[in-house]
Amino acid sequence: MKTVSLVGSTGSIGTQAAEVIGADPGAYRVVAIGAASSIETLAVQAAQLRPERVALADPARAHELAARLPTGVELLVGSDALAEIATGADVVVNGVVGFAGLPVTLAALQAGRRLALANKESLIAGGPVVQAARATPGAEIVPVDSEHCAIHQCLRAVLGEKEMAALPNSPSLLVTRIVLTASGGPFRGRHQHSLAEVTVAEALAHPTWKMGPKITVDSSTLMNKGLEVIEAHELFGIGYDAIEVVVHPQSIVHSMIETTDGATLAQLSLPDMRLPIGYALAYPDRLRVPFGVIDWARMGPLEFEAPDREAFPCLELAYQAGRAGGAAPAWLNGANEVAVAAFLDGRIRWVDIPAVISAALDECHAPVPSTVADVLDADRSGRDLALAEVGRRSGAPK
Ligand code: MG
């Protein structure tokens, strides 16, 4: 039986991971759960999953949670608590939202664990530091992002076991291109000029995927896809010129690879995050229960089109930051988190999001981060510049 630590257990990925585990009794045992502050959900999950340890990052209501935990469950509280529970399980699911997931990613890898990574921000912002931790014996990343899970599955068909384990340093000469699919989000087909007044509710109405608010806004701007381009580069060691994005509104083809002979391998399934979560838990085996299967007779057409780079400039900003390398992806990610939060708070318009990020990126000339402190610095610089730009655009003091 594999042991699992669910970090970010109360969020969208964490609750779906608990569902996947519950669907195959006897295959997995949850030994730890943890979240930033949602004590109600943590208490319910502790009663259901019976973990040995529960972590709570925000100490404000720790006493209240302690009173509601089953006896014998250890409660860890404070800013290091989530990273602490990321070391003691066969598989660590990192479903923390945003840059806050970095310590969890590093702790799991440095402990030589399998990291089921839904927190793409830690890999993007902390690239060089995360890659160093990934070299720890036993450490491996299995992505819990539908596109990267798809690519992982396609690569397995081409690369040997050793090459899979050596990613991103595999001599994957047989793979010439990665094609990431994008649903296009709620504003697909809209022209730049018609996007000036879109509302938060419209941006949160994703046509095919059910996800948390931050990533849903990122999908509406195509920044999510941009971040995924950098994520693919970091995960699989493929150059930016060989990573392409194509819009596929049905979200059935989750991504593709192309090999030297011109063959394309793709992975298809219904848009449901429980498959990538289960894949990362079960790898190299397969989950024994499906969460929905495709009915081909009723499927209808699958469409593909080029992304509109003018209406969605975030995609190009991410390519720029990825190609620049060094601290640029950390600046991009920090600035994006600030811009998205400001949009959700009603302080800036949706069309201001790329402008805020661009203003921050223009100032980026930091060296390659080699320590966690460097990554934190880069993240803070990106955020500070973005906050200043948000202040200018919202007319309010920051
Ligand atoms: Mg994705």
Side-chain angles (χ1 to χ4, degrees):
M1 192 184 283
K2 271 184 192 163
T3 57
V4 180
S5 176
L6 293 182
V7 192
S9 64
T10 61
S12 172
I13 293 293
T15 51
Q16 292 184 81
E19 242 178 88
V20 170
I21 288 166
D24 194 358
Y28 306 98
R29 186 162 61 87
V30 177
V31 292
I33 60 173
S37 59
S38 307
I39 67 157
E40 280 79 16
T41 313
L42 273 179
V44 170
Q45 288 182 327
Q48 277 168 0
L49 301 168
R50 294 284 167 162
E52 291 154 21
R53 304 203 290 171
V54 174
L56 179 68
D58 176 3
R61 293 169 69 196
H63 286 298
E64 217 179 310
L65 176 60
R68 295 174 60 177
L69 292 180
T71 44
V73 174
E74 186 190 352
L75 176 61
L76 295 85
V77 180
S79 54
D80 298 333
L82 295 180
E84 269 181 70
I85 61 161
T87 58
D90 298 325
V91 185
V92 178
V93 178
N94 185 356
V96 172
V97 175
F99 182 70
L102 180 64
V104 175
T105 287
L106 290 174
L109 293 175
Q110 283 161 353
R113 303 301 182 179
R114 170 180 309 164
L115 175 63
L117 184 63
N119 178 272
K120 67 189 81 172
E121 292 89 344
S122 56
L123 182 61
I124 291 158
V129 178
V130 174
Q131 297 297 8
R134 205 173 165 188
T136 309
E140 69 176 334
I141 301 179
V142 182
V144 180
D145 198 345
S146 58
E147 297 79 1
H148 305 77
C149 173
I151 294 163
H152 198 272
Q153 294 180 63
C154 295
L155 287 176
R156 282 174 85 177
V158 176
L159 305 182
E161 217 172 289
K162 270 190 186 159
E163 280 187 304
M164 286 303 289
L167 287 171
N169 300 313
S170 302
S172 45
L173 298 172
L174 296 174
V175 178
T176 49
R177 192 158 61 128
I178 281 181
V179 182
L180 291 172
T181 52
S183 69
F187 304 138
R188 182 179 67 89
R190 297 268 296 259
H191 288 289
Q192 200 176 12
H193 56 81
S194 79
L195 290 166
E197 303 305 330
V198 299
T199 64
V200 170
E202 288 174 298
L204 289 178
H206 197 279
T208 50
W209 288 99
K210 194 172 134 278
M211 306 176 291
K214 196 264 177 183
I215 187 171
T216 305
V217 174
D218 282 347
S219 294
S220 78
T221 61
L222 288 198
M223 179 54 94
N224 182 52
K225 208 50 53 182
L227 294 175
E228 288 180 353
V229 167
I230 302 175
E231 182 185 9
H233 171 78
E234 292 290 335
L235 281 170
F236 306 119
I238 306 265
Y240 286 98
D241 290 342
I243 304 174
E244 203 173 294
V245 171
V246 67
V247 172
H248 166 49
Q250 290 80 20
S251 300
I252 295 294
V253 175
H254 295 297
S255 278
M256 310 171 239
I257 67 166
E258 195 178 273
T259 49
T260 45
D261 55 359
T264 294
L265 285 80
Q267 185 262 321
L268 290 76
S269 53
L270 297 177
D272 191 318
M273 283 310 294
R274 290 172 298 185
L275 188 150
I277 292 167
Y279 177 83
L281 290 172
Y283 181 78
D285 295 328
R286 288 273 176 177
L287 207 60
R288 292 184 287 195
V289 277
F291 289 95
V293 291
I294 293 176
D295 181 347
W296 291 103
R298 289 161 183 251
M299 171 57 75
L302 298 178
E303 300 161 291
F304 301 90
E305 64 195 36
D308 181 345
R309 288 172 187 259
E310 271 175 29
F312 304 98
C314 284
L315 182 59
E316 201 48 45
L317 288 173
Y319 267 100
Q320 274 172 29
R323 286 197 166 99
W331 285 52
L332 173 89
N333 183 63
N336 180 54
E337 288 194 13
V338 165
V340 170
F343 168 67
L344 287 171
D345 286 349
R347 294 166 64 204
I348 58 169
R349 299 174 304 161
W350 183 87
V351 285
D352 291 329
I353 295 173
V356 165
I357 298 163
S358 181
L361 267 188
D362 282 348
E363 303 293 321
C364 179
H365 23 250
V368 178
S370 58
T371 64
V372 175
D374 293 344
V375 178
L376 291 171
D377 275 352
D379 174 71
R380 197 168 306 120
S381 302
R383 280 172 200 273
D384 287 348
L385 285 160
L387 270 175
E389 185 65 24
V390 165
R392 277 192 285 278
R393 286 175 179 267
S394 62
K398 72 167 193 166

